[in-house]
Amino acid sequence: MPISVTIRNLQTLILSFHPIIVIETVEEERVQGLLKKVTQDMSMPLFEWSAAQGLIRSPGTMDAPWVNEYAPPGTIKPTTIGNTAEALAVLQHLQDMTIKALFWLKDFTKHLDDPVVVRHLREVAQLFSQNRSALILTGNDVQLPKEVAHDAVYFDLKLPGRDEFAYTVKDMVRVLRQKHRTQIDLQQEDGERLVQALSGMTIKQARQVLAYAALDDGKLTACDVDRIVHRKAQIIREGGVLEYFPLQENRAELGGFSGLKQWLARAEVGFTAEAKALNLQPPKGILIVGIQGCGKSLAAKAIAQQWKMPLLKLDAGRLYDKYVGESEKNFRQAIKLAESMAPSVLWIDEIEKSLGADNGDQDGGLSRRMFGSFLTWMQEKSQQVFVVATANDISRIPPEMLRKGRFDEIFYVDLPDVKERTNIINIHLLLRKQDPSQFDMAALLKETEGFSGAEIEQVVIAALYRALYLRQPLNTELMIQEIDSTIPLSVSRREHLQQLRAIAKDRFVSVR
Ligand SMILES: Nc1ncnc2c1ncn2[C@@H]1O[C@H](COP(=O)(O)OP(=O)(O)OP(=O)(O)O)[C@@H](O)[C@H]1O
Ligand SMILES: [Mg+2]
């Protein structure tokens, strides 16, 4: 979202008499920049408070221009107003102030255990709802007591958009050149790739990776872009809920699936400017259900690759947290990240185990709520985030998810047919530097009837191991020995597969 829209939304909240506005974020630097712009346009003074420095006139605004070491010479450091380091004292002070202003209180909720502080906060809120002053509360996790909750509104600060990163890059380039004599060698298109590479991070992280990339060798060049993408993958993984597969590192080779591939080619026009001009919505997402080991997960990777989009995988296990409220927050964060990297592919593997599960009241309704927020988001999302969900067990998917209109299409994957198996055998031989023309393909196809893609891959790997051990080249005979010693799922779980097939065949579209 462009910063201008964020500024306008926040101004609207202030103008419409919201006395307490909560922004859940750890990006204080960014909040400061945002509030400065918000108040500048409205000619409103900005104050900030923390337990460490008490209440001050916010530095860097028109009336208090000091920022930090980079500030112009002659500017003065702000001093604490009155005796306002204590939470209670600052609220009492605010009740006596007649000025109409924006007051930013950092990490204030920690002080709301005290009923007297809560009472004073209510008084301030009442006062402000009349004079259009507002309190901004920030922190990582802002939980308000009931008494004040109804006076508060939560403002959803999206991750920084392209325009903010473009500004950050420009600003960092200036500082690096001036202060560190860094050699900057970036063409216009490198600059665009750099901004793209930074998206999904916070501004602080962006500054850190830029500084690291530059100071490491005294240069900032096109080569640094790939390293930054790599670093972003680490940052996202450390964040916990998502795994990021950069386009550069996504090498999925999917055999078969020709129906799905055609569908994708057609759906791709939905992302173009022409489609937008015609008020067409971009594609929302698909669900792929079907037999284990037949390439559902691989398909998710192949889609991102075909569409040249970054791929983000939602780690269902890590979504759920033992603390109340954290799981939902994790989900919101994952969505935010995917949106900030749009156009992107969000891959929800085994959705029946995470967002689709209905554990009744066992978990206090958590899984149902998560499922609800997922569907709402799917319905309303405006960003170009394409969801690829996969599932093995259709019986565990709530019917609402399968209803027409939720996903653009629901695909069914069955065991590969002859043509697809030919493809898959070729792919896995070639991946391991074997020449498919040296094998008796007809024999291999006959023997692998009923095998899944994953089982075929295992056969190739195991046979190649044996060949290496026996110090001989891989041949058809070794492959067939491995095939014979494999009991495929289509045999060991025949009934299960038949049931799945019976449900799926008529209801869903085949990937072939
Ligand atoms: N159509 C295919 N083309 C190429 N390789 C395949 C194909 N299907 C499966 N494979 C191989 O099998 C491996 C496992 O497949 P994948 O994980 O995509 O299956 P899945 O349907 O997601 O299974 P699960 O239900 O167990 O998650 C892949 O990494 C790939 O090497
Ligand atoms: Mg899978």
Side-chain angles (χ1 to χ4, degrees), residues 88-98 117 119-125 127-128:
L88 189 59
V90 70
L91 291 178
Q92 284 168 337
H93 194 88
L94 295 190
Q95 288 169 72
D96 292 336
M97 282 175 92
T98 47
V117 174
R119 183 63 228 176
H120 276 274
L121 184 59
R122 283 192 73 178
E123 307 271 333
V124 172
L127 188 71
F128 282 9

Side-chain angles (χ1 to χ4, degrees), residues 227-239:
R227 288 170 56 200
I228 288 175
V229 168
H230 202 73
R231 175 69 192 125
K232 176 164 74 177
Q234 278 175 337
I235 291 178
I236 291 177
R237 202 171 313 119
E238 285 158 14

Side-chain angles (χ1 to χ4, degrees), residues 134-150:
L135 287 175
I136 306 282
L137 302 183
T138 59
N140 181 30
D141 184 18
V142 182
Q143 310 260 7
L144 295 175
K146 295 198 285 305
E147 296 88 331
V148 281
H150 64 269

Side-chain angles (χ1 to χ4, degrees), residues 253-255 257 292-298 392 424 428 453-454 457:
E253 285 202 59
L254 181 66
F257 283 70
Q292 250 177 40
C294 285
K296 296 183 297 294
S297 299
L298 191 62
N392 286 333
I424 297 172
H428 289 289
E457 181 185 27

Side-chain angles (χ1 to χ4, degrees), residues 268-281:
E268 195 175 4
V269 300
F271 293 112
T272 57
E274 287 106 306
K276 200 172 173 194
L278 295 171
N279 292 331
L280 288 175
Q281 297 275 341

Side-chain angles (χ1 to χ4, degrees), residues 343-396:
S344 58
V345 175
L346 179 64
W347 167 23
I348 307 177
D349 210 24
E350 313 197 338
I351 194 166
E352 75 273 35
K353 294 189 188 149
S354 51
L355 296 173
D358 187 349
N359 300 330
D361 289 326
Q362 267 173 28
D363 57 2
L366 175 64
S367 51
R368 213 178 290 151
R369 280 202 306 281
M370 300 273 276
F371 173 57
S373 9
F374 169 67
L375 288 187
T376 315
W377 172 73
M378 275 292 275
Q379 208 83 32
E380 292 173 357
K381 74 189 161 74
S382 54
Q383 298 286 339
Q384 298 186 341
V385 177
F386 185 79
V387 174
V388 180
T390 67
N392 286 333
D393 190 350
I394 318 180
S395 65
R396 284 180 58 195

